């Protein structure tokens, strides 16, 4: 049984590639086997669904040649019976592994798109990952318990989808952005190991690797610290990689601090499969009072930073190519790209606006810090740390890919690491307020609680992220299990005592009755599967995804509903 993939006549015989979930089998209609059936076979077309019965034969004995690309490549079936289950219209695109049909069209005909072997393989792998996760957690005494999707709206995290309640007029549920507080309450209830493969919903602006509904591998454990959680989760990932793609990940995974990641890569999810590390020149240039370069001097006076990155001579670029990088930097939000080419045994800089300004001492010091030789080019960025980091990290990734330093797709080296010691809060310069860097239930580092009030910006979190090949695949933390500390964190976030009670009363209440120390993590299943399949989009590992615009070209959701439905929900819409 299967679908007609392709048809051809050869030597008076009709050959068809018959496709099903397991692959392709060559079938052949021979006039000498059944002349009428051979005639009838000319009626068949692509994507017709048929069943056949016949004799399995050796292709070579039949005078053909084996197809080493097919697992069934040594045989063919001499058809004796044919049943046509259904006919097909001409499909809007070919059912091939690789096609260049636009995604919108593929999604509008997703049933056909999903027939393609590439996607069939992706979903088989996704299934394998889910089974592997389930058996690992089961073997380690985790309970899979479901949490509600319709939850109370609590501000502060991601933007929620709202669902109007018909029973309680003018009120709304939120769709859960994650099971966070429920899994913490599981721990307080005494289920000391929980996991769930769970749908989460976030009404965020959609970027390449984001979907409004996505799946998490969510876990929580009681009586743990960071390393116990990390060790358990390393075991899970090692199992998944082995089961899904046969790769043996090396343990323990390296751990890098947030500060070090920012300093060396400008990113809290560094891709360390290649070098091009950043060099922080701030302290050095401060000592030299800007080294004679007024822009450096000004930046440092205003509390800014100066960072550099070296393009080694072996990757030499033409002036035009270097100029093009300037545009890349502008797209990343920068004003421009300062650069200097090292010359004359490191005594001179050329092609550089700084060359005439920088004094000899600073030039030598920068060269030494950057460990450069003649022909190397130093790139500079200076200004506010956040912007400098994001530009330099974007530039590093751009160069890494332009210079072919990172493999695209598979196979690839697997670079798995933990990033730890995140700041507890992020400061919003415009509103002068603090927001939780992970979420407000994350425990401050031991000893940092005292500074929650006086200097929240300096507090570190007991949080950890898991990064694979430059993608944030998981994030979690040790949670607060002391209601006084929880209140202090809410205070630092500017949530009034009244609001704490109104919004998080259920959590504060649960924290009154002997909560255990606990912590956990959630992994993005879609992103993980994207990496494991070497897909370039998470939409290739989600059976029915939304487009970048958050719509579904297949069912045309979202749609408007009629006035009566809205009235029942006590809702009116604006013109
Ligand atoms: N709930 C968190 C998230 O969705 C993960 C965690 O802290 O376990 O990012």
């Amino acid at each position: 049984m299967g679908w007609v993939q392709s048809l051809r006549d050869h030597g008076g015989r009709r050959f068809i590639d018959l496709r099903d979930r397991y692959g392709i089998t060559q079938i052949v209609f021979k006039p000498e086997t059944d002349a009428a059936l051979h005639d009838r076979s000319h009626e068949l077309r692509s994507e017709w669904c048929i069943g056949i019965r016949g004799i399995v034969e050796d292709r070579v004995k039949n005078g053909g040649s084996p197809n080493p690309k097919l697992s069934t490549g040594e045989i063919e079936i001499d058809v004796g019976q044919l049943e046509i289950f259904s006919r097909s219209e001409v499909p809007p695109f070919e059912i091939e592994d690789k096609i260049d049909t636009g995604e919108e069209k593929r999604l509008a005909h997703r049933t056909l798109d999903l027939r393609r072997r590439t996607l069939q393989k992706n979903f088989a792998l996704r299934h394998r990952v889910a089974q592997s996760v389930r058996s690992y957690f089961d073997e380690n005494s985790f309970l899979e318990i479901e949490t509600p999707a319709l939850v109370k709206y609590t501000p502060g995290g991601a933007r929620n989808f709202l669902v109007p309640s018909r029973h309680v007029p003018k009120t709304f549920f939120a769709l859960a952005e994650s099971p966070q507080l429920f899994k913490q309450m599981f721990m307080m209830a005494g289920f000391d190991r929980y996991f769930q493969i769970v749908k989460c919903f976030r009404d965020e602006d959609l970027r390449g690797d984001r979907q409004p509904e996505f799946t998490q591998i969510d876990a929580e454990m009681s009586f743990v610290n960071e390393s116990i959680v990390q060790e358990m989760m390393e075991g899970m990932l090692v199992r998944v990689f082995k089961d899904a793609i046969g790769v043996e990940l090396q343990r323990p995974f390296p751990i890098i601090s947030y500060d070090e990641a920012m300093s060396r890569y400008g990113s809290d999810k560094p891709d360390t499969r290649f070098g091009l590390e950043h060099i922080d020149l701030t302290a050095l240039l401060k000592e030299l009072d800007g080294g004679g370069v007024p822009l450096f001097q000004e930046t440092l006076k205003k509390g800014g930073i100066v960072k550099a990155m070296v393009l080694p001579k072996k990757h030499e670029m033409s002036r035009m190519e270097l100029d093009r990088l300037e545009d890349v930097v502008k797209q990343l939000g920068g004003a421009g790209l300062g650069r200097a080419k090292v010359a004359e045994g490191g005594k001179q800089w050329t092609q550089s606006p700084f060359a005439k300004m920088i004094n000899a001492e600073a030039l030598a010091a920068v060269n030494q810090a950057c460990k450069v030789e003649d022909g190397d080019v130093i790139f500079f960025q200076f200004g506010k740390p956040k912007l400098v980091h994001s530009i330099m990290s974007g530039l590093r990734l751009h160069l890494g890919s332009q210079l072919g330093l990172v493999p695209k797709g598979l196979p690839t080296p697997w670079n798995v690491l933990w990033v730890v010691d995140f700041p507890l809060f992020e400061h919003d310069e415009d509103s002068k307020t603090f927001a939780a860097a992970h979420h407000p239930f994350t425990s401050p580092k031991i000893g940092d609680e005292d500074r929650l009030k006086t200097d929240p910006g300096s507090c570190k979190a007991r949080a950890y992220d898991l990064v694979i090949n430059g993608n944030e695949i998981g994030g979690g933390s040790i949670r607060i299990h002391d209601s006084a500390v929880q209140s202090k964190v809410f205070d630092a976030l500017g949530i009034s005592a009244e609001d704490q009670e109104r919004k998080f009363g259920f959590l504060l209440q649960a924290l009154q009755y002997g909560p255990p120390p606990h912590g956990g993590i959630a992994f993005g299943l879609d992103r993980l599967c994207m990496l494991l399949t070497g897909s370039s989009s998470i939409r290739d590992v989600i059976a029915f995804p939304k487009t970048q615009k958050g719509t579904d070209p297949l069912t045309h959701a979202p749609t408007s509903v009629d006035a009566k439905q809205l009235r029942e929900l006590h809702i009116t819409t604006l013109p």
Side-chain angles (χ1 to χ4, degrees):
M1 324 287 175
W3 286 264
V4 174
Q5 167 86 26
S6 61
L7 319 95
R8 65 204 168 272
D9 284 313
H10 188 73
R13 297 172 171 180
R14 184 124 182 98
F15 290 89
I16 288 180
D17 282 347
L18 191 62
R19 185 193 71 238
D20 68 5
R21 182 181 136 196
Y22 307 93
I24 282 182
T25 303
Q26 177 162 294
I27 64 173
V28 48
F29 292 86
K30 302 179 188 167
E32 64 271 29
T33 303
D34 184 333
L37 194 59
H38 174 255
D39 266 359
R40 213 180 139 211
S41 71
H42 284 86
E43 201 191 314
L44 298 175
R45 292 288 176 274
S46 279
E47 297 313 308
W48 287 24
C49 183
I50 63 172
I52 57 121
R53 202 181 280 273
I55 312 265
V56 175
E57 293 179 337
D58 186 329
R59 272 196 206 188
V60 179
K61 274 195 197 142
N62 278 355
S65 47
N67 182 348
K69 282 195 209 130
L70 295 183
S71 61
T72 57
E74 294 184 2
I75 57 119
E76 61 192 16
I77 299 177
D78 179 12
V79 182
Q81 272 177 49
L82 165 71
E83 183 167 347
I84 297 170
F85 298 125
S86 63
R87 292 163 164 75
S88 168
E89 302 278 330
V90 176
F93 47 81
E94 280 181 76
I95 313 300
E96 294 288 350
D97 290 3
K98 283 207 174 79
I99 54 176
D100 51 17
T101 309
E103 191 173 43
E104 185 96 16
K105 189 165 177 183
R106 281 175 37 205
L107 291 179
H109 297 273
R110 189 62 159 174
T111 322
L112 293 175
D113 197 28
L114 288 172
R115 282 184 188 173
R116 294 165 51 226
R117 200 174 56 137
T118 330
L119 292 189
Q120 296 249 324
K121 273 186 164 164
N122 287 358
F123 291 97
L125 180 136
R126 189 174 169 130
H127 164 84
R128 184 62 37 233
V129 171
Q131 301 318 309
S132 173
V133 167
R134 287 211 160 86
S135 53
Y136 176 81
F137 280 131
D138 181 48
E139 284 157 27
N140 284 285
S141 307
F142 283 72
L143 297 183
E144 181 168 15
I145 322 176
E146 284 158 273
T147 49
L150 291 175
V151 301
K152 178 187 166 99
Y153 169 74
T154 51
R159 186 198 294 264
N160 290 109
F161 285 99
L162 297 177
V163 182
S165 158
R166 186 169 57 83
H167 292 293
V168 189
K170 301 179 190 178
T171 62
F172 294 82
F173 289 104
L175 290 182
E177 65 187 70
S178 89
Q180 185 58 38
L181 291 175
F182 295 99
K183 66 174 174 173
Q184 288 190 235
M185 289 188 285
F186 284 154
M187 297 304 109
M188 299 178 203
F191 296 109
D192 66 7
R193 290 178 171 198
Y194 141 94
F195 89 99
Q196 189 182 187
I197 296 182
V198 60
K199 265 293 172 69
C200 300
F201 306 87
R202 295 183 191 171
D203 191 6
E204 308 258 296
D205 294 334
L206 302 178
R207 281 188 248 127
D209 57 357
R210 288 219 182 135
Q211 281 278 303
E213 52 178 310
F214 59 97
T215 309
Q216 283 190 344
I217 302 168
D218 194 42
E220 196 77 8
M221 303 168 76
S222 287
F223 312 113
V224 290
N225 57 21
E226 292 86 328
S227 47
I228 298 176
V229 176
Q230 286 165 4
E231 221 174 276
M232 181 63 73
M233 298 306 146
E234 288 188 2
M236 188 270 285
L237 286 163
V238 166
R239 170 76 75 84
V240 164
F241 269 75
K242 180 101 199 48
D243 289 352
I245 56 169
V247 163
E248 218 54 84
L249 291 182
Q250 291 308 309
R251 287 179 72 177
F253 302 163
I255 299 180
I256 176 172
S257 74
Y258 170 86
D259 287 341
E260 190 183 340
M262 293 311 284
S263 149
R264 286 168 61 189
Y265 306 101
S267 165
D268 59 1
K269 46 179 167 111
D271 186 339
T272 58
R273 284 175 298 175
F274 65 101
L276 299 181
E277 288 190 23
H278 300 163
I279 304 119
D280 195 340
L281 300 174
T282 313
L284 180 156
L285 286 171
K286 233 183 226 165
E287 221 162 84
L288 299 171
D289 194 24
V293 180
L295 278 171
F296 290 164
Q297 208 177 25
E298 265 168 53
T299 304
L300 295 166
K301 237 184 235 148
K302 282 193 258 168
I305 59 170
V306 184
K307 292 190 84 175
M309 181 166 65
V310 176
L311 178 73
K313 186 176 163 40
K314 65 171 180 230
H315 297 301
E316 193 157 21
M317 287 185 181
S318 68
R319 262 192 125 116
M320 213 163 77
E321 283 175 307
L322 287 169
D323 287 344
R324 249 185 254 135
L325 290 180
E326 187 97 16
D327 297 332
V328 172
V329 166
K330 283 184 183 149
Q331 270 163 19
L332 291 165
L337 178 63
R339 65 178 199 238
K341 190 164 190 173
V342 182
E344 286 179 38
K347 288 204 181 59
Q348 280 292 329
W349 283 353
T350 61
Q351 301 180 16
S352 174
F354 308 126
K356 290 211 176 70
M357 300 178 247
I358 193 148
N359 60 44
E361 190 188 2
L363 186 139
V366 169
N367 280 354
Q368 197 188 8
C370 295
K371 300 193 183 83
V372 281
E373 291 171 14
D374 278 13
D376 293 351
V377 176
I378 311 175
F379 297 124
F380 298 92
Q381 280 296 310
F382 43 90
K384 289 189 178 164
K386 204 169 168 183
L387 188 63
V388 169
H389 284 140
S390 89
I391 294 168
M392 286 295 267
S393 135
L395 183 63
R396 176 174 176 268
L397 292 178
H398 177 89
L399 282 172
S401 125
Q402 181 180 333
L403 301 173
L405 302 176
V406 271
K408 284 197 176 68
L410 297 179
T412 178
W414 291 100
N415 178 252
V416 188
L417 51 99
W418 293 105
V419 181
V420 301
D421 296 344
F422 283 84
L424 189 59
F425 301 107
E426 267 164 16
H427 191 242
D428 185 75
E429 285 184 22
D430 299 330
S431 63
K432 304 253 179 301
T433 53
F434 284 101
H438 185 51
H439 53 54
F441 320 107
T442 296
S443 179
K445 280 250 149 186
I446 298 164
D448 284 8
E449 298 94 340
D450 305 338
R451 293 200 311 281
L452 283 172
K453 204 171 178 144
T454 50
D455 187 9
S458 75
C459 295
K460 293 275 187 198
R462 296 183 72 183
Y464 31 81
D465 274 3
L466 186 101
V467 176
I468 304 183
N469 292 357
N471 295 269
E472 186 198 326
I473 292 298
S477 60
I478 299 302
R479 325 299 183 185
I480 297 167
H481 70 280
D482 174 337
S483 61
V485 176
Q486 185 63 73
S487 289
K488 276 195 212 163
V489 169
F490 285 148
D491 287 343
L493 293 169
I495 306 175
S496 69
E498 202 185 27
D499 273 357
Q500 291 179 26
E501 199 44 49
R502 200 161 53 84
K503 290 164 182 160
F504 300 107
F506 61 96
L507 174 72
L508 295 170
Q509 182 206 65
L511 286 173
Q512 299 303 322
Y513 297 97
H518 61 288
I521 192 164
F523 298 92
L525 177 64
D526 312 289
R527 277 191 205 170
L528 181 60
C529 290
M530 176 179 93
L531 294 185
L532 289 170
T533 54
S535 304
S536 52
S537 156
I538 59 168
R539 295 183 294 279
D540 283 345
V541 294
I542 298 177
F544 295 103
K546 310 283 184 287
T547 60
Q548 296 279 64
K549 284 177 244 143
T551 58
D552 173 10
L554 177 66
T555 64
H556 302 295
T559 57
S560 54
V561 294
D562 63 38
K564 182 166 165 285
Q565 282 171 294
L566 288 179
R567 244 189 333 269
E568 281 173 356
L569 297 168
H570 312 273
I571 285 179
T572 55
T573 56
L574 296 173

